Amino acid sequence: MNGGKGTLEGQVIIITGGGTGLGRSMAFRLAEEGADIVVAARRVPPLEETAAGVRQRGRKALAVSTDVTDTTQVNGLIEKTLAAMGHIDVLINNAGIVRGERPKALWEISDEDWRTGIDVNLSSAFYCSRAISKYFADRKRGKIILVASGEGFRGQRNSFMYNTAKAGVVNLTRVMALTLAEYNVRVNCIVPGFVDTYENQPEDYQKIMAERRAARKLFVPVGNPGKPDDIGYVALFLCSDASDYVTGGCFISDGGGLAGGFAITGYAPVVSLKEGRV
Amino acid sequence: MTAKAFLLKDKVALVAGDSQLWTKPVASALAGAGADIAIAAKSSPILAEAVEAVHKTGRKALALPLDVAKAAQVQKAVGQVIAEYGRLDILVNSGDIHFFKPFMKIKNAEWGKVMDTNFKSALNFCRAAARPMLKQKNGRIINIVSGLAERGLVNGSAYCVSMGGVLQLTRALALEWARKGITVNAIGTGWFTDPDKAMDETLARYIPVKRYGRPEEIGSLTVYLASEVTGFTTGQFMFVDGGLMAHA
C-alpha cells in the first residue's frame, strides 16, 4: 500500500490563486505527494515563490500570470500548461478574495462591486473549468476541484458577493459533476472553515488577520483554527484515486462549525448585537 | 495506493455493526492501511470472512460476536478490545439492514429490528468506545449511513428514520467532543452492488457515473477519515455515491 513513490506521481495539477494562502499550501502538499504543479494568479512574485517551493520539493513547477476572470487569459493558461507539461490531470479552482469586501451598506454597493465580487469568486471557477472541460472529456479522465467556504452554506451580515458567490460555487460543483460524470471526470468541492493561512499571506493581509484571528478562533468548536495542511490533505484525497467513485460532493473541513450553529453552541462567546456589528 | 499521510500504523480500529455489505471491505481497508482490527457483529459467516480478509493483510484481527442492541454486551466487547490491544483509536459504525415497506404495514417488531441494527447499535458503540477515547484525548468515529439519512424514499420510513438518527448523532457528538480530541463524521453511501442480489439496471442508469459502487470503494474514505490528518474535519457528512446526492 505504501510505495516509496508519491501517491500523485506523474500528475499535473493546476492551482488557481496558487501564489498565496491555501493555494500555496495545497501546492506544497500535493508536490510532496509527487505531483507537478502549475500555479496561476495575477501577481507574479508570489507565484514564483510558490513555484520555487515546489521545485525545492523535487517537482516540476510552472508559474503562469493569469487574470482568472479573463477568458482569453484562462484559455492561455490551459494551452501554456499543455505545452510545458504535456498533460493535465487535475484543476483546482482556488482563486478568490477571502472576505475581500469592505463593509458597506447594501444601498451603497455599486454594480461594479457586485460584478467584481461574483467574477472573482464564482465566474473564475466557471471560466477555468469550462476551458479544461473539453480536454478532460476527450481524455475520458480528469478531476476538477472547486473551493467554496463555510460562508457558502450560511448567511453573514453585509457579505453579499462573497457568500452569494460561494453558494454558487457549491451548486456549480453539482451541475458540473452531473454533466461530466459520463466522461469519467469527477468534480468535487473543498469547503474550508476558518483556516489560518497567516504565513502565506501578503503583509497587509497579515495585519487584518492578526486582529481577527484571536477573536475568530473562539467560535471554532474544536478550539483552534485549521492549519493549511488540514485543507491540503482534503485536496490530496480528492486528487488521488481514493476518491474515484466520489463526485458532486462537498468536503467540509471546518473544525465542526457547520455541524452546529442553530443556537449558541457552547463554544462561541456571547457577543452583544452592538459589538457584533462590523 | 494509500497516501502515506493516511496510513494507520499502530492504530486499533473497531468495525461494529451488522451489515451484509460493509463489514468485510471496511475491515480489510483499515487493516490494509496498517491498523489492527476488532470486528463486533452478530455471529455470521461475514464475521469469519472479515477476519480472514484482515489476516491476509498481515494485521491482527479479533472477532467479537455479540448482540449489537444489548448495551452490556457492547461494553464488554469494547473492554475485550482494550484488553487485547491496549487501546482503541477508531470506531466505524457500519450497521445497515435494508427494510422497505408501507408505513401502515410495518409491525412494531420490524420497526424495532431496523432501529436496533441501524441506530441503537451506533448509539451503544459510540457510548462504549468514547470512554477509552476520551481518556486518550484522541479518537475517530466514522458512521457509515445511507444518503437516505438526509433524503426520503417511498416505503422507506423505518430505514430513513434509523439512518437520520445516526446522522444527527454524528453532528451532535462532534460538537460535544470537539475539544476532546474525538472527531465524529458520517459517510453517506449511494447504491452499491450486493453479491447476494440481482442488480437493477434501471437504477444504475439513474446514478450519474452510470454504475453501482463496489463495496470496497467505501474503504478509502473510511481510511482517510480515520487518519491523523483529518483532525479539523468533524460533524461532517460526505458521500461515496457516484454523484447521486448532487441531483437526487
Side-chain angles (χ1 to χ4, degrees):
Chain A
M1 297 293 276
N2 176 19
K5 288 208 268 182
T7 314
L8 305 178
E9 193 81 20
Q11 288 208 21
V12 175
I13 299 176
I14 299 179
I15 305 173
T16 68
T20 55
L22 287 181
R24 177 178 291 181
S25 50
M26 280 192 276
F28 290 169
R29 170 50 48 210
L30 299 173
E32 275 171 28
E33 307 292 339
D36 297 326
I37 305 290
V38 179
V39 280
R42 269 183 307 183
R43 289 180 302 139
V44 175
L47 284 184
E48 288 296 353
E49 279 176 39
T50 303
V54 169
R55 289 185 197 110
Q56 271 169 19
R57 288 163 172 82
R59 304 296 162 185
K60 283 193 263 180
L62 179 67
V64 183
S65 172
T66 313
D67 177 350
V68 289
T69 65
D70 179 330
T71 300
T72 310
Q73 293 190 36
V74 165
N75 293 340
L77 165 67
I78 306 300
E79 284 161 21
K80 284 175 199 161
T81 301
L82 285 174
M85 306 299 234
H87 62 105
I88 304 167
D89 300 281
V90 184
L91 165 68
I92 303 182
N93 292 292
N94 166 72
I97 304 173
V98 181
R99 297 181 185 84
E101 298 166 44
R102 289 277 161 268
K104 230 182 206 186
L106 169 56
W107 43 88
E108 284 172 5
I109 295 172
S110 68
D111 290 4
E112 200 199 336
D113 289 339
W114 173 261
R115 286 199 198 102
T116 305
I118 298 295
D119 254 20
V120 175
N121 290 306
L122 172 61
S123 306
S124 61
F126 175 76
Y127 297 148
C128 295
S129 304
R130 181 181 61 184
I132 206 162
S133 59
K134 183 71 168 46
Y135 168 78
F136 278 167
D138 286 345
R139 205 175 176 221
K140 286 264 186 267
R141 60 176 287 205
K143 293 196 171 188
I144 298 176
I145 296 169
L146 295 92
V147 179
S149 159
E151 304 284 3
F153 290 83
R154 300 282 158 85
Q156 187 183 218
R157 188 164 44 194
N158 285 333
S159 182
F160 289 96
M161 290 73 85
Y162 188 75
N163 284 47
T164 307
K166 289 302 187 182
V169 167
V170 170
N171 230 20
L172 177 61
T173 303
R174 297 187 182 118
V175 175
M176 285 205 296
L178 297 175
T179 307
L180 299 176
E182 62 181 296
Y183 301 104
N184 196 33
V185 178
R186 303 290 176 249
V187 187
N188 289 290
C189 187
I190 298 176
V191 184
F194 175 36
V195 177
D196 200 340
T197 56
Y198 196 75
E199 303 297 325
N200 291 337
Q201 294 293 354
E203 231 172 87
D204 54 337
Y205 190 77
Q206 281 194 6
K207 269 186 206 155
I208 303 171
M209 286 286 279
E211 289 164 22
R212 293 185 186 170
R213 67 205 294 222
R216 212 182 272 154
K217 74 175 188 186
L218 297 172
F219 290 84
V220 182
V222 297
N224 55 271
K227 304 178 298 298
D229 249 356
D230 289 326
I231 305 304
Y233 285 116
V234 184
L236 170 59
F237 176 74
L238 291 176
C239 288
S240 74
D241 61 7
S243 58
D244 278 355
Y245 195 63
V246 177
T247 196
C250 288
F251 286 73
I252 300 171
S253 188
D254 70 346
L258 286 171
F262 185 68
I264 292 166
T265 58
Y267 298 108
V270 178
V271 182
S272 80
L273 276 179
K274 206 177 166 196
E275 282 174 78
R277 199 166 287 276
V278 282
Chain B
M1 183 174 75
T2 305
K4 261 185 220 163
F6 304 156
L7 291 177
L8 307 174
K9 199 173 166 289
D10 300 326
K11 300 282 183 193
V12 172
L14 171 58
V15 180
D18 298 336
S19 166
Q20 289 290 320
L21 279 187
W22 311 127
T23 308
K24 187 172 141 188
V26 165
S28 174
L30 293 168
D36 288 323
I37 309 291
I39 305 153
K42 72 178 174 197
S43 181
S44 81
I46 285 172
L47 198 53
E49 283 170 29
V51 167
E52 199 189 315
V54 171
H55 282 152
K56 268 191 196 148
T57 69
R59 305 310 311 181
K60 288 188 235 170
L62 176 66
L64 301 162
L66 81 176
D67 181 343
V68 295
K70 299 265 166 45
Q73 292 188 30
V74 170
Q75 288 279 3
K76 194 178 145 212
V78 169
Q80 284 173 277
V81 176
I82 302 293
E84 179 73 18
Y85 295 128
R87 55 188 297 116
L88 176 56
D89 305 287
I90 299 152
L91 166 67
V92 182
N93 283 305
S94 59
D96 188 353
I97 189 176
H98 286 193
F99 181 80
F100 300 95
K101 202 174 186 181
F103 181 61
M104 299 303 280
K105 290 188 176 159
I106 300 173
K107 298 187 177 78
N108 287 348
E110 291 171 329
W111 186 276
K113 169 85 176 158
V114 176
M115 292 303 289
D116 278 357
T117 310
N118 295 353
F119 176 73
K120 202 170 175 193
S121 172
L123 176 70
N124 286 340
F125 278 100
C126 282
R127 261 200 190 138
R131 204 163 290 169
M133 287 179 178
L134 287 166
K135 213 181 281 175
Q136 288 164 198
K137 294 191 169 47
N138 187 37
R140 295 277 182 270
I141 297 177
I142 299 146
N143 297 322
I144 298 179
V145 297
S146 160
L148 291 174
E150 205 162 87
R151 300 285 164 86
L153 187 69
V154 173
N155 295 337
S157 55
Y159 189 76
C160 292
V161 167
S162 68
M163 289 294 175
V166 179
L167 176 58
Q168 282 298 73
L169 187 66
T170 304
R171 292 179 173 136
L173 291 180
L175 291 170
E176 196 163 327
W177 295 331
R179 297 194 181 178
K180 298 180 190 300
I182 303 176
T183 65
V184 191
N185 290 291
I187 297 176
T189 59
W191 300 106
F192 278 71
T193 50
D194 186 336
D196 298 335
K197 276 186 203 147
M199 294 282 114
D200 177 357
E201 281 311 309
T202 324
L203 192 52
R205 286 206 291 277
Y206 182 74
I207 302 169
V209 302
K210 300 285 184 277
R211 68 168 176 85
Y212 286 87
R214 293 180 285 271
E216 59 274 16
E217 285 177 305
I218 216 71
S220 49
L221 182 55
T222 311
V223 168
Y224 167 70
L225 287 173
S227 72
E228 286 282 357
V229 300
T230 56
F232 198 57
T233 301
T234 193
Q236 283 314 313
F237 189 24
M238 42 198 89
F239 301 91
V240 181
D241 66 353
L244 261 184
M245 288 295 281
H247 81 136

